[in-house]
Amino acid sequence: MTTFPPAALQEVQLPLLGARGLRLAVLRLDQRPPGMNGNKGYKLQPWRERLRRGEGRGLISLGGAHSNHLHALAAAGCEEGFATVGLLRGEPCATPTVQDLQDCGMTLHWLGYGGYRRRHDADFWQPWQARYSDLLPIPEGGCDAAAANACGGIVVELQQGLAALDWPDCQQLWLAAGTGTTLAGVIRAAEPAWQVVGGLAVPPGHGVETTLQTLLPRDTSRNWRLVDASRGGFGRIDADLARAMADFADQTGITLDPLYTGKLWLALRDEIERGIVAAGSRLVLIHSGGLQGRRALAAQLSALATG
């Protein structure tokens, strides 16, 4: 079993909160080392355990040129000494993430855009498993039931953090959703009294709902809902988002990423401003990492925030 360093639950002070008697804490999964960073360490845990049982000598998976998933996978392979292969969307390009993948020893194959769109075809993995027969294939983003179960460990971290803050509980738990895998695991493990709010990093209808239908028991009675935090597209950023992230960092010292946690905070802030969040509530925002991908957008975010 992978042992994770303890994650801090950091309470933050914001004028927006005090005016409504709200308390907000951030679960700092972003502070962990690259191979365990954010939610990715949990999602990779089942495959790392399989390698330790001798089921293969490495892992192969898919992602883009800024992929948090591939970044964590490459780092884990480097740290633990197993082989990693990445199948990348698009044509060869240089990004900070790609450089890190190469520095960690990951073998890269660029699929083009057409080749990457075939990733859901029934025969997609056949040539890759023939070529790398001793590597275990991981679905895009690590999306499967074992990964969702492992993400239930985030709730254990949160419970420990609540005790450290001397909070008896929380009313809402906010988490960004890209595939829905982590969200499913957190919903299943959450305390019944918590409302889990999934902030869609992709527009509605782009897969998260289907993942939740697959991974959540049909009779689940957990208290959860989805909000559209995508701002019209997964990779779309704008001046309001950039300014909100900059203000949050200035006021709390916590850096957010523009594709997941930044949009999640903006969605939560909007509900607070519109009076949807009940006065006196204790709120938790899970910082699921992703800061490594922010490097390629730093200049753009700065220009938007100050323009």
Side-chain angles (χ1 to χ4, degrees):
M1 182 69 67
T2 303
T3 301
F4 296 99
L9 184 63
Q10 178 181 342
E11 186 168 5
V12 298
Q13 306 297 327
L14 297 164
L16 177 69
L17 304 172
R20 295 163 175 79
L22 302 173
R23 299 180 72 179
L24 172 66
V26 180
L27 186 62
R28 301 297 305 278
L29 302 181
D30 61 300
Q31 294 180 318
R32 286 180 170 153
M36 300 179 178
N37 195 266
N39 62 328
K40 305 305 179 185
Y42 292 95
K43 293 171 76 173
L44 290 174
Q45 188 173 2
W47 281 278
R48 294 162 96 162
E49 294 301 320
R50 289 180 63 183
L51 293 181
R52 294 189 184 112
R53 294 195 297 266
E55 296 184 31
R57 71 171 187 87
L59 302 171
I60 178 173
S61 194
L62 310 94
H66 309 284
S67 170
N68 297 323
H69 169 63
L70 288 185
H71 194 269
L73 174 57
C78 188
E79 293 164 7
E80 299 184 16
F82 59 81
T84 58
V85 173
L87 309 179
L88 279 84
R89 178 177 63 250
E91 304 301 328
C93 63
T95 70
T97 301
V98 170
Q99 185 62 56
D100 285 351
L101 301 184
Q102 294 171 328
D103 290 345
C104 286
M106 175 176 272
T107 300
L108 306 183
H109 297 279
W110 295 87
L111 304 182
Y113 292 99
Y116 198 83
R117 282 193 292 270
R118 291 192 58 249
R119 66 193 182 280
H120 300 303
D121 292 355
D123 61 349
F124 172 81
W125 282 105
Q126 290 180 4
W128 297 110
Q129 289 187 289
R131 182 168 182 172
Y132 296 106
S133 59
D134 52 354
L135 303 188
L136 303 177
I138 303 178
E140 182 182 32
C143 179
D144 84 338
N149 288 337
C151 289
I154 294 173
V155 173
V156 176
E157 298 275 0
L158 174 55
Q159 290 166 328
Q160 294 169 348
L162 291 173
L165 283 182
D166 199 26
W167 284 19
D169 55 17
C170 65
Q171 279 68 51
Q172 289 187 354
L173 173 58
W174 285 67
L175 170 66
T179 66
T181 308
T182 304
L183 179 60
V186 168
I187 290 171
R188 291 170 64 169
E191 297 285 348
W194 302 349
Q195 182 180 69
V196 179
V197 184
L200 291 170
V202 295
H206 280 66
V208 173
E209 299 91 341
T210 300
T211 298
L212 293 175
Q213 290 175 358
T214 301
L215 296 180
L216 289 177
R218 292 186 179 276
D219 60 347
T220 185
S221 59
R222 299 294 182 181
N223 182 16
W224 63 276
R225 61 187 173 94
L226 298 176
V227 297
D228 182 6
S230 69
R231 304 187 68 77
F234 174 67
R236 186 170 299 174
I237 60 176
D238 53 53
D240 287 344
L241 173 64
R243 284 193 290 266
M245 292 169 56
D247 290 345
F248 191 86
D250 288 343
Q251 294 170 357
T252 68
I254 299 174
T255 302
L256 303 174
D257 89 282
L259 304 186
Y260 295 97
T261 52
K263 292 181 177 181
L264 181 71
W265 162 241
L266 207 54
L268 172 54
R269 191 189 72 175
D270 177 67
E271 290 207 354
I272 293 173
E273 291 176 339
R274 290 192 289 132
I276 295 176
V277 180
S281 295
R282 290 176 292 273
L283 314 170
V284 172
L285 185 149
I286 295 178
H287 197 317
S288 52
L291 296 180
Q292 69 82 25
R294 177 190 167 117
R295 296 171 294 176
L297 297 170
Q300 185 180 1
L301 288 170
S302 178
L304 287 169
T306 58

